[in-house]
Amino acid sequence: MRVETVLLKDYTTLGVGGPAKLWTVETPEDLKRATEAPYRILGNGSNLLVSDQGVKERVIRLGGVFQTYDLRGWVGAGALLPLLVKEAAEAGLSGLEGLLGIPAQVGGAVKMNAGTRFGEMADALEAVEVFHGGRFEVFRPEELGFGYRTSRLPEGGIVTRVRLRLKERPKEEIQRRLQEVDQARKGQPKKKSAGCAFKNPPGQSAGRLIDQLGLKGLRVGGAMVSLEHGNFIVNLGNARFEEVMALVRRIQEEVPLELEWEVWA
Ligand code: FAD
Ligand code: EPU
């Protein structure tokens, strides 16, 4: 196990966030020790907006055994989803195509029920192992209250590994589906972001609403509403937490949207 002081801006895709003690756990024993005091769990940091003051709790990251995977067996929650999408396609295993382009770890994707209109993480799960209250417990997906970008894990629960629901399909068919998802994502920005900032209201697109209000390009310091997609807030360089929050509030003054990001402050 490694414990070090880091800046969370280096561990989040938006590139915002101050200091924290990072506990990289490599074994179940490490995890038990690391969770003996208040903690937060970090995945790939792709849905987080973190305060410049950092956080006082331990920040736990899954390394070692939690990153190993077998697509036909247990998949560690610390494994990177983009890698699994690619390897499943190469192996002729279908079920993850809709998750193409989501820069998550498996655990973060389960927690957020990450997805696109082509499919969600919950659809691809057969079983989920969660560490909570000092023990490991396996759940069926129906027990975890999955909804649009939400789940109900046990209090303080850490997803440690999952079994995927994949089926053998011709590789060309999988490739066709991946191309379709890739095409749908073409309008999303490449600059530093944490994905869509707001949830879509039922039947609507937050990005389109923000666009229609003429808010693309609106800027507070280093934070800007993407010119490519209205629901992405991009970090132009050295955006501060308060600048990003000010931009979020400015948008919410115009249209009452619910934040999709998780704020660590
Ligand atoms: P983090 O951002 O690190 O954490 C998110 C939450 O999950 C936190 O509450 C954290 O505590 C919790 N968590 C992390 N790991 C675990 C674990 N092992 N056990 C329990 N809880 C855990 N999202 C979509 O849904 N669809 C998209 O199409 C999409 N596109 C994106 C494109 C870009 C360019 C970016 C930057 C982001 C995008 N996102 C998208 C957002 C983001 O990738 C997802 O929300 C993803 O699920 C976050 O996973 P993560 O591993 O990065 O989690
Ligand atoms: N649109 C605009 N202007 C914009 C953005 C979008 O007019 O600035 C229009 C598009 O032209 C399209 C419609 O709005 O007709 C929907 O846009 P898009 O296809 O980009 O989908 P979205 O609803 O904005 C959702 C998810 C994305 C996911 C895509 C692809 C949410 C909040 N967003 O975006 O997920 O990648 O679909 O399926 O559910 C995320 O959750 O972080 C995320 C990026």
Side-chain angles (χ1 to χ4, degrees):
M1 175 153 62
R2 229 176 30 253
V3 182
E4 58 200 318
T5 301
V6 302
L7 291 176
L8 288 173
K9 72 184 169 93
D10 297 328
Y11 292 81
T12 55
T13 56
L14 185 61
V16 177
K21 277 265 190 306
L22 183 68
W23 291 57
T24 306
V25 297
E26 288 171 355
T27 62
E29 294 68 41
D30 287 353
L31 190 58
K32 286 182 182 152
R33 261 189 62 203
T35 50
E36 281 165 1
Y39 61 88
R40 294 174 188 256
I41 171 90
L42 176 70
N44 201 38
S46 64
N47 197 49
L48 297 178
L49 171 59
V50 183
S51 160
D52 295 328
Q53 311 306 315
V55 295
K56 9 179 234 320
E57 300 87 351
R58 297 172 172 186
V59 172
I60 298 177
R61 186 171 61 145
L62 300 176
V65 70
F66 301 107
Q67 285 184 311
T68 60
Y69 60 89
D70 167 4
L71 287 171
R72 290 185 161 87
W74 286 103
V75 172
L80 282 173
L81 192 57
L83 205 61
L84 302 183
V85 173
K86 180 167 166 286
E87 290 191 13
E90 285 166 1
L93 293 171
S94 171
L96 296 179
E97 296 90 303
L99 304 173
L100 178 77
I102 303 178
Q105 283 185 0
V106 168
V110 171
K111 164 80 179 182
M112 297 306 302
N113 189 19
T116 64
R117 67 185 141 90
F118 302 92
E120 297 175 332
M121 190 68 220
D123 308 331
L125 294 171
E126 208 156 82
V128 180
E129 185 189 73
V130 181
F131 178 78
H132 68 112
R135 67 199 174 92
F136 293 86
E137 188 178 358
V138 177
F139 294 89
R140 281 176 286 114
E142 310 84 81
E143 296 176 288
L144 294 176
F146 287 115
Y148 167 60
R149 302 290 191 275
T150 182
S151 67
R152 277 196 314 273
L153 297 179
E155 179 77 25
I158 298 177
V159 178
T160 43
R161 50 183 192 163
V162 306
R163 289 182 84 97
L164 297 173
R165 180 175 295 171
L166 304 177
K167 52 179 189 302
E168 302 208 358
R169 299 301 304 165
K171 290 182 189 170
E172 311 73 58
E173 183 187 314
I174 298 175
Q175 282 308 329
R176 269 199 306 279
R177 214 168 292 134
L178 287 173
Q179 273 161 19
E180 199 186 340
V181 183
D182 190 45
Q183 195 55 36
R185 306 192 67 110
K186 279 274 184 284
Q188 297 183 359
K190 300 276 178 285
K191 288 198 176 68
K192 283 198 271 184
S193 80
C196 285
F198 303 101
K199 292 191 183 187
N200 283 342
Q204 286 181 300
S205 158
R208 185 191 285 136
L209 292 171
I210 293 167
D211 189 1
Q212 285 168 346
L213 287 163
L215 297 176
K216 279 179 167 175
L218 185 68
R219 196 176 152 178
V220 180
M224 187 178 84
V225 179
S226 166
L227 295 168
E228 287 140 287
H229 194 295
N231 201 3
F232 280 68
I233 290 179
V234 293
N235 179 356
L236 297 173
N238 294 310
R240 317 272 309 161
F241 172 81
E242 278 309 333
E243 294 170 348
V244 182
M245 280 309 293
L247 192 53
V248 164
R249 284 191 293 264
R250 180 72 188 72
I251 295 166
Q252 286 175 328
E253 276 167 21
E254 305 275 336
V255 50
L257 295 169
E258 184 192 341
L259 208 56
E260 176 176 317
W261 296 339
E262 185 169 311
V263 178
W264 283 9

